[in-house]
Structure formats: structure tokens, C-alpha cells
Amino acid sequence: MKKSVLVGAVSLILLQASGSIQAESVQEKTLSCNGCHGVDGNSMMPLFPKLADQNEEYLIKQLNAFKDGSRIDATMNNVVKNLSSEDIEDIALFYEQQTVTENSLPPLELDDDIDDIDDLPAEEQVLAREAFEKNKVAAEAEQARLVALGQDIYRNGILDTEVSACVACHGPYGEGNKPASFPALQGQHADYLIKTLTDFKAGIRTHNTDNMMHMIAKKMTSEEIKATSYYMSIIK
């Protein structure tokens, strides 16, 4: 009895040690990713995508596309060129297991900087602050309008221009679709989403005219892309 307990304890310790070594090995594989995408896949830079909680299948597909050159990005093509299939699978699984952080909306687009007002003569500061507050209220209203428009497009699409609803592929909460390799969008940076949709619209992200995202994005206006990206970035 004592011997079996001892064997079980030793086996558990060895298993835990093996898991720890494997985790360290995978983290070593992601070292070259940390500068742009963050240690845990939560990029702090709005134009670099968050990878945390992204579907493993989608990440594998994209990393392989960078590796074989079917998706072009000078930095990513160089980073993944020497990765093995096992490396790609390990990295993708690592990021899928991380928790994506929530976003706040991008900063308000204001015409004036509140800090500049302090440099004005005293008699002009009151009028300038009133104008700033009025501008801020208008910017907040515009931001809310865009989010509402984005929510409608995400859920219902755009009937007049035959833009499909995003929810069909990316899920009600932006969780994506693992079996279909459709990416999760929840928690993604709005600026990155705007860039991605704009690239699809312009044919930069893909030269395949039959690509689903190209066909959808090319029918969207810049405002619709911005609105949808704003909503997708905060969906939860």
C-alpha cells in the first residue's frame, strides 16, 4: 500500500515537472512574438493584433500562410520561416489558452487639446473650455452613434448593399468558430480591425476575389468599417 502511494506521488511529481518543462519550452518559442504581441498575447499597440484567446486552428492557418508566403508581411514572414509544424501548433495552442483583455473604446477624436487651453490668456480660457466641453459632448455622441451602427451591422448586416452579418461566422460574442477556422474578434484592437477590413476592401490582405472577407469588405464604406470595428473591439 505504502509502495503504491509512493509510486503514485513520484509519478505525479514527474508529470508536473514534465508539464512545467513543456510550458517553459513553448514560452521560449514565443519569445520573438512578445515584442509586438505581448508576453501573454495581449498586444499593447493598437495596430498589432492581440493573439490571446484566439482560436488555435485559425492561428495555425495564418502562421502557415506567413510561412509559405501566401500571406505577405515582411516581419511575420521572417519570424515564422524557420518554425516547424510542431512549433506552429505549440505557439497557436499557447495563445489560445491565454485570456484576452477587455478594451475601452479608442480615444475621442477632439479638435482641441485641453492642455493647450492653459497656455491661453486668462480671459480666453473660459471660452476655450466651454468650446472644448461642447466638442467633447459632440465627440461622445458620435462615438456612441458609431458603436450603435456597428452593433447593427455586426448582428444584421447591411441589407441594401448585401453585406453579411458578422455574427454568422464570428459568433454572438465575437468568439469565432474553431471548426471553421474563423477568428475570434472579442477584445481585438479597433485600430487593427479597421486596418484589416480596409486591407480586405483594397485587396491588400488577399488578391483572391472569391475570398469571403474581400467580398464583404469591398461593399462597406469607411464609416461602416470604423463603426463595425468599434463595436467588435468591445463586444463581450
Side-chain angles (χ1 to χ4, degrees):
M1 181 66 177
K2 289 182 179 179
K3 182 178 180 181
S4 62
V5 171
L6 179 60
V7 170
V10 171
S11 298
L12 179 60
I13 291 171
L14 291 174
L15 182 62
Q16 290 174 335
S18 174
S20 177
I21 292 171
Q22 289 176 355
E24 289 178 4
S25 176
V26 172
Q27 286 182 323
E28 286 179 4
K29 294 179 181 181
T30 64
L31 285 177
S32 59
C33 312
N34 294 349
C36 294
H37 301 288
V39 175
D40 60 352
N42 283 294
S43 166
M44 298 297 290
M45 290 169 279
L47 285 175
F48 292 156
K50 294 183 184 180
L51 303 180
D53 204 25
Q54 185 56 266
N55 295 332
E56 178 187 7
E57 289 79 2
Y58 175 75
L59 288 175
I60 290 174
K61 181 179 178 181
Q62 297 308 309
L63 288 170
N64 280 321
F66 283 124
K67 184 180 173 96
D68 66 25
S70 57
R71 183 174 173 187
I72 304 298
D73 179 279
T75 301
M76 286 302 304
N77 296 142
N78 185 61
V79 168
V80 303
K81 66 181 181 181
N82 294 320
L83 293 179
S84 66
S85 296
E86 181 182 357
D87 292 335
I88 287 174
E89 291 173 4
D90 286 346
I91 290 169
L93 180 59
F94 170 79
Y95 284 123
E96 184 186 63
Q97 293 174 339
Q98 307 310 304
T99 301
V100 68
T101 54
E102 292 184 5
N103 290 327
S104 55
L105 284 169
L108 294 173
E109 297 177 0
L110 300 174
D111 295 332
D112 301 310
D113 189 335
I114 189 67
D115 294 330
D116 295 337
I117 294 176
D118 294 331
D119 297 330
L120 296 173
E123 62 272 14
E124 296 181 21
Q125 287 189 20
V126 173
L127 292 176
R129 290 185 187 282
E130 289 178 354
F132 177 84
E133 290 301 322
K134 184 177 180 179
N135 184 25
K136 182 180 178 182
V137 169
E140 289 172 342
E142 173 63 7
Q143 192 175 73
R145 184 190 72 82
L146 285 172
V147 171
L149 173 61
Q151 182 179 41
D152 184 52
I153 294 171
Y154 187 89
R155 292 181 176 179
N156 304 309
I158 308 171
L159 183 61
D160 291 344
T161 52
E162 299 182 340
V163 171
S164 304
C166 312
V167 68
C169 293
H170 299 287
Y173 305 106
E175 69 275 20
N177 184 324
K178 286 186 65 175
S181 298
F182 294 152
L185 303 175
Q186 187 181 71
Q188 191 56 263
H189 294 302
D191 286 349
Y192 176 74
L193 292 170
I194 291 170
K195 179 183 183 302
T196 299
L197 285 171
T198 302
D199 285 349
F200 274 123
K201 179 181 175 70
I204 296 172
R205 175 72 180 258
T206 177
H207 298 296
N208 178 9
T209 56
D210 293 328
N211 178 276
M212 185 189 310
M213 285 307 306
H214 172 72
M215 291 190 290
I216 291 171
K218 72 177 183 179
K219 300 175 185 176
M220 299 177 73
T221 66
S222 296
E223 180 184 66
E224 290 164 350
I225 285 175
K226 183 177 181 179
T228 308
S229 297
Y230 271 28
Y231 175 69
M232 290 189 295
S233 72
I234 60 170
I235 190 173
K236 61 182 178 179

